[in-house]
Amino acid sequence: MSSTELSRMKQPLVPLATLIGRDLRNLKIEKPIVKYGQAGLARKGEDYFLIKTDCQRIPGDSSTLFSVFAILDGHNGMSAAVFAKENILNNVMSAIPQDISRDEWLQALPRALVVGFVKTDIEIQKKGETSGTTATFVIIDGWTVTVASVGDSRCILDTQGGVVSLLTVDHRLEENVEERERVTASGGEVGRLNVYGANKVGPLRCWPGGLCLSRSIGDTDVGEYIVPIPHVKQVKLSNAGGRLIIASDGIWDALSSDVAAKSCRGLPAELAAKLVVKEALRSRGLKDDTTCVVVDIIPSDYPMLPTIPRKKYNMLISILFRKKSQNSSNKASNKLSAVGVVEELFEEGSAVLTERLGKVSSFNMNSGIFHCAVCQVDQPPGDALAVNYGPFSPSASKSWEGPFLCANCRKKKDAMEGKRPSIPVVDSIVI
């Protein structure tokens, strides 16, 4: 991504309150319709996606529906991506009490996503799997979108005003200076591939292991300074809606965020996903697994985002499906006049687990039982330690401040922060 594009993508999102001439306090906004499309081509067969539109915050209560979309780009095998696809959502949900309001649920999501990612990583380590995966996990509840991500898959938001916003952060060592500094401070070594008899080549990698990413799920045979703690961003759309494009790096290595968004504007989500993949292949060829999910969050009284003239629509169908286009005089009709404005609710990308868990206590005064904030397992007194307890927190009172971690999860936390030796590593992964 160019510095110009990066600067544009980091422009502050406009508060929802700036919608001119619209009193949102008195305006009843119904839940939007969520439509989606998916497309992809495999080269190594390590890309996976998750689409689930019938999730219920409270089981059996249809009024608590939400949707989940995810891209998981595996490396060194597919097992980590498959496991993450099947388990992250359950691990996230297990970290949120069921008897809370929708507003409380939305506020709890960022923390629960951190817990879900870390717990999934620990479970993969217990299985002894050596593969790893990126994860870009999107939860849509009404007009609120929450995105958690590790690795270099990406989620962008294209609003009706034509402003493209990046909802994820790329965790590539080559581009992310802060992550390079964190990895080296935790005990990793960052450098390029050393080819015998030649200069060092390729992108920056973490050694041992040779991983290009500073964050992932799995990668048991790489140092634990490669963390599964996600960047999380939560935004609220205006009632004009918007479009999400979630894709693996096979797309983003070929297309900028702006180009991907512009290439499919006005098309229904299913066709848009196919077009984005085709544009990426036209630009770069099939050098990697290429997967794209397009999600439209649209007002209930509009069947789809603004359309394009039928002639151009048919031309694009011809390109995608190798069919001849047919002339048509039909023009676009359903157009939204509202400007796409976004309210940023939450953003945090720290790789320090203590900072991401907060100070929510999980101690039952009646039973004296502690509840591990990550693995969600009850611990008897004496087996659990508060996150804040340790040599740098000498106060005895700190040992009673939550959240609490069991012995295994505390070891994981210390390893990620470079406070104990990482697991044995094998210098074998080159992606």
Side-chain angles (χ1 to χ4, degrees):
M1 189 188 310
S2 67
S3 58
T4 302
E5 182 189 4
L6 184 60
S7 176
R8 187 187 308 117
M9 303 294 282
K10 287 188 175 182
Q11 290 177 355
L13 298 175
V14 182
L16 192 63
T18 60
L19 276 173
I20 300 175
R22 191 180 297 268
D23 188 358
L24 292 178
R25 291 173 300 180
N26 299 323
L27 180 63
K28 182 180 179 180
I29 302 176
E30 297 181 356
K31 277 194 172 184
I33 296 173
V34 176
K35 295 191 175 184
Y36 63 89
Q38 182 276 331
L41 288 173
R43 180 176 175 86
K44 295 180 291 184
E46 295 174 339
D47 270 12
Y48 287 82
F49 64 91
L50 172 65
I51 296 176
K52 191 172 176 60
T53 59
D54 57 352
C55 305
Q56 294 181 346
R57 176 169 52 86
I58 302 176
D61 186 348
S62 60
S63 67
T64 64
L65 283 172
F66 65 93
S67 300
V68 172
F69 299 88
I71 293 286
L72 303 117
D73 181 0
H75 48 261
N76 197 33
M78 64 179 70
S79 57
V82 172
F83 187 88
K85 172 185 174 180
E86 295 175 347
N87 291 277
I88 286 182
L89 179 57
N90 288 336
N91 288 341
V92 171
M93 296 304 293
S94 68
I96 305 178
Q98 289 188 10
D99 58 343
I100 59 177
S101 68
R102 178 176 177 272
D103 287 343
E104 291 171 327
W105 137 263
L106 290 174
Q107 291 176 2
L109 261 181
R111 179 180 182 274
L113 282 161
V114 172
V115 170
F117 274 52
V118 175
K119 184 179 179 183
T120 302
D121 181 80
I122 291 174
E123 290 171 346
I124 291 175
Q125 286 192 346
K126 288 181 179 178
K127 287 169 62 67
E129 300 287 356
T130 58
S131 65
T133 183
T134 72
T136 297
F137 205 81
V138 181
I139 294 179
I140 302 171
D141 187 334
W143 299 101
T144 302
V145 178
T146 309
V147 184
S149 63
V150 293
D152 57 359
S153 296
R154 188 184 301 173
C155 176
I156 65 172
L157 168 65
D158 188 17
T159 62
Q160 293 304 309
V163 177
V164 179
S165 302
L166 187 59
L167 300 186
T168 54
V169 168
D170 289 350
H171 295 126
R172 283 187 176 180
L173 290 164
E174 183 72 34
E175 289 90 12
N176 198 317
V177 177
E178 291 182 3
E179 286 294 282
R180 290 204 300 269
E181 294 175 347
R182 179 190 64 77
V183 168
T184 54
S186 299
E189 181 179 346
V190 175
R192 304 188 191 281
L193 184 64
N194 190 3
V195 179
Y196 291 109
N199 294 327
K200 294 184 177 181
V201 298
L204 288 174
R205 301 175 185 272
C206 180
W207 305 97
L211 196 65
C212 297
L213 308 174
S214 61
R215 303 195 195 189
S216 69
I217 292 175
D219 290 309
T220 304
D221 55 352
V222 179
E224 289 192 73
Y225 30 76
I226 305 300
V227 301
I229 301 174
H231 170 272
V232 180
K233 191 177 184 72
Q234 187 178 72
V235 298
K236 184 175 181 181
L237 308 185
S238 76
N239 63 324
R243 164 169 286 178
L244 302 174
I245 300 179
I246 314 160
S248 62
D249 63 339
I251 297 292
W252 307 118
D253 286 343
L255 305 176
S256 69
S257 300
D258 281 335
V259 168
K262 290 177 181 177
S263 69
C264 63
R265 280 183 185 145
L267 291 173
E270 185 175 358
L271 192 55
K274 290 181 172 64
L275 182 60
V276 171
V277 170
K278 194 167 186 71
E279 282 292 306
L281 294 177
R282 186 181 63 83
S283 173
R284 189 170 180 262
L286 186 61
K287 295 185 177 180
D288 195 0
D289 292 340
T290 304
T291 306
C292 177
V293 176
V294 173
V295 184
D296 288 339
I297 306 168
I298 53 182
S300 58
D301 53 346
Y302 285 92
M304 58 180 287
L305 290 172
T307 58
I308 57 175
R310 174 59 61 179
K311 184 176 181 180
K312 187 175 181 181
Y313 180 89
N314 286 337
M315 179 183 68
L316 288 169
I317 289 181
S318 176
I319 293 174
L320 289 168
F321 301 107
R322 300 182 183 278
K323 293 181 179 179
K324 293 182 179 179
S325 61
Q326 299 176 352
N327 293 328
S328 174
S329 58
N330 294 334
K331 300 297 181 180
S333 55
N334 295 325
K335 291 186 178 180
L336 298 174
S337 58
V339 176
V341 181
V342 178
E343 179 184 14
E344 183 177 302
L345 302 178
F346 178 92
E347 182 172 16
E348 179 59 66
S350 170
V352 179
L353 189 60
T354 305
E355 297 176 1
R356 305 301 296 276
L357 291 179
K359 293 186 178 181
V360 178
S361 179
S362 300
F363 174 63
N364 189 317
M365 295 295 294
N366 295 325
S367 64
I369 296 296
F370 297 90
H371 192 66
C372 178
V374 173
C375 69
Q376 308 298 306
V377 174
D378 289 335
Q379 301 290 316
D383 289 349
L385 286 175
V387 170
N388 296 309
Y389 183 77
F392 298 104
S393 300
S395 172
S397 63
K398 288 287 185 180
S399 64
W400 295 93
E401 291 184 9
F404 297 95
L405 297 179
C406 66
N408 287 335
C409 291
R410 184 173 178 84
K411 289 178 181 177
K412 174 70 174 177
K413 167 192 169 294
D414 289 345
M416 290 190 295
E417 296 173 6
K419 296 178 181 178
R420 74 170 181 85
S422 297
I423 55 177
V425 295
V426 179
D427 189 0
S428 61
I429 297 180
V430 176
I431 67 168

